[in-house]
Amino acid sequence: MNTPVHDFLTDYSNKNMIRCHMPGGKGMNSPFDITEIDGADSLYEADGIIRKSENNTAALFGAGATLFSCGGSTLAIQGMLGTLKQISEKNTIIAGRYSHKSLLTACILLGFNIKWAYPEEYLSTVISPEEIERLIDSDTAAVFISSVDYYGGEVDITAISAVCHRHGIKLLVDNAHGAYKVFTKNHPIILGADMTADSAHKTLPCLTGGAYLHLRDAALYPTAKNVMGMFGSSSPSYLILDSLDLCNSFIAGNKEDSLRTIKEINALKKSLESIGYTLKKSDDMRITVDAEAYGYSGYDLAQLLREKGTECEMSDEKYVVMLFSVSQKAEDFEQLYTIMKNLPRKGFSESEIHTVLKPECIISPREAYFSPKETIKTENAAGRICGGIHCPCPPCVPLVMPGERIDGECVKELIRYGVSFIEVCADR
Ligand SMILES: Cc1ncc(COP(=O)(O)O)c(C=O)c1O
């Protein structure tokens, strides 16, 4: 697989030019840290080396077209929704309740209303095709589904895309956690999604910030480029672009190794279960340990693992989430097994993490977010309308959305979530 961006950067840095152009580091931070100089192409008007590299990515993933993002899946999600805004006159997005906050912020900025699809469990994004079909109405512009979710839950994309397409509606998939599926043949763009946002940086060897917007319909490429240019910096990082370019060559050359790594993750799951751990069902790239079933809170188990030299992706009252990558070293799995084998099991205790809250929506997220607000103690917020976006990261998922009325149960859950102060609409 050719690497046009990397080759250009290598060439340019070998020439030792006097750098009378941005950025100010003049190659000191990295010789590849450049800007849109002659020949370097330009991310939002890509027709040279960046476009060639994007085409390589599209071919590897089976997409109609791919756009690079140096602003993570956050920018790719803005790109998906902004593109939709240009091609649909409808105003409502059906979205899984536990979507990442970037869905909410994009809808606030673009003026979309959101109709929430509720899963059975906190943080799950697994919604049935029947439920999606029940929610679709004449104002539905698209369905937005996250798959994989933070615990590793996966959605039936094939079935949901069939529902969407039967109703003439686009399916947008937040695949931030699933870029590695380029190897496993179940990438949502193959299964029927119309657009997907993939954080290359989460599960592929790519610098933080590197992500893809994949399009089924290549004709939408110019529209999506314009939209991403509206939200993204006009100085995207060439270090990230280089890393996205090199990722193509990794994908093309490391299929067997990557599939072996995935096998090793699944083997570790089995080994951990055989020594008494209970695991939540999860996708191929993570292990979600039910810490409580082993006698710990998720926080305590994560702390113990930290003390033994392992930092995990996320922990909460009940679970510890370990996220791997196709470039994970084999010895990591062996060491992890040894560490976890030697952790003493304690008594079983079970508690609920968070109940699935369904607060009443009073005004749109946009209206609430841009209305006059005040910040109050969460304990005093019952009866008020939420005006801000409050959530710990990870998982970066708000429990109560702007525009929704906060009730007593919301207050309890928000405080457990670590939200002690909250913005509410001042005039309501
Ligand atoms: C489900 C989900 N979607 C979107 C995002 C945003 O991705 P990025 O950090 O690449 O902007 C995240 C980030 O963690 C996420 O977990």
Coordinates of all heavy atoms in Angstrom, one line a residue, residues 71-74 77 100 102 150 174 176-177 199 201-202, ligand 1:
G71 N -9.7 15.8 14.1 CA -10.4 16.1 15.3 C -11.3 15.0 15.9 O -12.3 15.2 16.4
G72 N -10.7 13.8 15.7 CA -11.4 12.6 16.2 C -12.7 12.3 15.6 O -13.1 12.9 14.6
S73 N -13.4 11.3 16.2 CA -14.8 11.0 15.8 C -15.7 12.2 16.1 O -16.8 12.3 15.5 CB -15.3 9.8 16.5 OG -14.8 8.6 15.8
T74 N -15.3 13.0 17.0 CA -16.2 14.2 17.3 C -16.4 15.0 16.1 O -17.5 15.3 15.7 CB -15.5 15.0 18.4 OG1 -15.3 14.2 19.6 CG2 -16.3 16.3 18.8
I77 N -18.5 13.0 13.5 CA -19.9 13.0 13.8 C -20.5 14.3 13.4 O -21.6 14.4 12.9 CB -20.1 12.7 15.3 CG1 -19.8 11.2 15.6 CG2 -21.5 13.0 15.8 CD1 -19.7 10.8 17.0
H100 N -22.5 9.2 22.8 CA -21.5 10.1 23.2 C -22.0 11.6 23.1 O -22.8 11.9 22.2 CB -20.2 9.9 22.4 CG -19.0 10.7 22.7 ND1 -18.7 11.8 22.1 CD2 -18.1 10.4 23.7 CE1 -17.6 12.3 22.7 NE2 -17.2 11.5 23.6
S102 N -20.9 14.0 21.7 CA -20.6 14.7 20.5 C -21.9 14.7 19.6 O -22.1 15.6 18.7 CB -19.4 14.1 19.7 OG -19.5 12.7 19.7
Y150 N -19.7 1.5 25.2 CA -18.6 1.6 26.1 C -18.3 0.3 26.8 O -17.1 0.0 27.2 CB -18.7 2.8 27.1 CG -17.4 3.6 27.1 CD1 -17.4 4.8 26.4 CD2 -16.2 3.1 27.6 CE1 -16.2 5.5 26.3 CE2 -15.0 3.8 27.5 CZ -15.0 5.0 26.9 OH -13.9 5.8 26.8
D174 N -22.1 5.7 14.9 CA -20.9 6.1 15.7 C -20.1 4.8 16.0 O -20.4 4.0 16.9 CB -21.4 6.7 17.0 CG -20.2 7.1 17.9 OD1 -19.1 6.6 17.7 OD2 -20.4 7.8 18.9
A176 N -16.9 4.8 16.8 CA -15.7 5.3 17.3 C -14.8 4.2 17.9 O -13.6 4.2 17.8 CB -16.0 6.4 18.4
H177 N -15.5 3.2 18.5 CA -14.7 2.1 19.2 C -14.5 0.9 18.2 O -13.9 -0.1 18.7 CB -15.5 1.7 20.4 CG -15.5 2.7 21.5 ND1 -14.9 2.5 22.7 CD2 -16.1 3.9 21.6 CE1 -15.1 3.5 23.5 NE2 -15.8 4.4 22.8
S199 N -13.0 6.3 15.2 CA -11.8 6.8 15.8 C -10.6 5.8 15.5 O -10.5 4.8 16.1 CB -11.9 7.0 17.3 OG -12.9 7.8 17.7
H201 N -7.8 6.3 16.1 CA -6.8 6.3 17.2 C -7.2 5.4 18.4 O -6.4 5.2 19.3 CB -6.6 7.8 17.7 CG -7.9 8.4 18.4 ND1 -8.1 8.3 19.7 CD2 -8.9 9.1 17.9 CE1 -9.2 9.0 20.0 NE2 -9.7 9.4 18.9
K202 N -8.4 4.9 18.5 CA -8.8 4.1 19.6 C -8.3 2.7 19.5 O -8.0 2.1 20.5 CB -10.3 4.2 19.8 CG -10.9 5.6 20.3 CD -12.3 5.5 20.8 CE -13.0 6.8 20.8 NZ -12.4 7.9 21.6
Ligands
LIG1 C1 -18.8 6.3 21.6 C2 -17.9 7.4 21.3 N1 -18.2 8.2 20.3 C3 -17.5 9.3 19.9 C4 -16.4 9.6 20.7 C5 -15.6 10.8 20.2 O1 -14.4 10.3 19.7 P1 -13.0 11.1 19.6 O2 -12.4 11.1 20.9 O3 -12.3 10.4 18.5 O4 -13.4 12.5 19.2 C6 -16.0 8.8 21.8 C7 -14.8 9.2 22.6 O5 -14.4 8.5 23.5 C8 -16.8 7.7 22.1 O6 -16.5 7.0 23.2

